[in-house]
Amino acid sequence: QVHLVESGGETVQAGESLRLSCTLSAPTINGCMYDMSWHRQAPGKEREFVAAIDTDGNTSFRDSVKGRFTISHDNYRDTTYLQMNNLKPDDTAMYYCSAQPHSHCQLRWDLKDNYWGQGTQVTVSS
């Protein structure tokens, strides 16, 4: 139904930048809109929220990434980006993209309230 594919994760040094991409594919679903978010999970820790963007373009971030990360969405490409600047070793984690269909779409197309991608690994060395 709804598929998310992340890319862009790699190993970088502290202070460098990365841009993660998340492409949404829903070939059998028409007319739906999704709020998008990024989350991350470090080894031995719980998954945590990183950033979100809604269909109005409103964004939110966890405190530790404010001023360093930005989130954006390209409607034409159905792709959500997470630009990460001034990376720190504490940013090391598997990064997951998430899509939340609007409620009317969930009802019309029998969708779940949230979909996850498979993740992309970001490693920041000191």
Side-chain angles (χ1 to χ4, degrees):
Q1 288 180 317
V2 179
H3 303 282
L4 302 171
V5 178
E6 301 103 328
S7 62
E10 59 181 87
T11 298
V12 296
Q13 292 191 335
E16 294 186 338
S17 299
L18 279 177
R19 188 177 78 161
L20 306 183
S21 300
C22 170
T23 299
L24 184 150
S25 172
T28 63
I29 299 170
N30 297 316
C32 282
M33 300 180 76
Y34 306 82
D35 296 330
M36 303 297 296
S37 56
W38 285 94
H39 305 255
R40 67 188 182 188
Q41 187 167 19
K45 296 185 177 180
E46 294 187 352
R47 191 172 297 188
E48 63 184 20
F49 166 79
V50 176
I53 184 167
D54 66 19
T55 52
D56 292 326
N58 299 306
T59 60
S60 60
F61 300 89
R62 70 178 299 104
D63 286 346
S64 63
V65 307
K66 286 180 180 178
R68 301 189 297 122
F69 290 13
T70 59
I71 186 171
S72 60
H73 182 75
D74 184 330
N75 287 322
Y76 181 76
R77 293 180 174 83
D78 281 334
T79 299
T80 303
Y81 301 99
L82 183 68
Q83 177 67 43
M84 307 185 294
N85 298 327
N86 190 22
L87 282 160
K88 302 177 180 181
D90 284 348
D91 296 318
T92 295
M94 184 71 79
Y95 282 71
Y96 297 91
C97 176
S98 172
Q100 300 86 49
H102 286 193
S103 57
H104 72 276
C105 281
Q106 294 180 37
L107 293 173
R108 179 179 179 186
W109 298 100
D110 191 26
L111 301 180
K112 298 186 295 184
D113 60 359
N114 191 63
Y115 292 85
W116 293 99
Q118 83 289 348
T120 186
Q121 178 68 38
V122 173
T123 302
V124 184
S125 60
S126 57

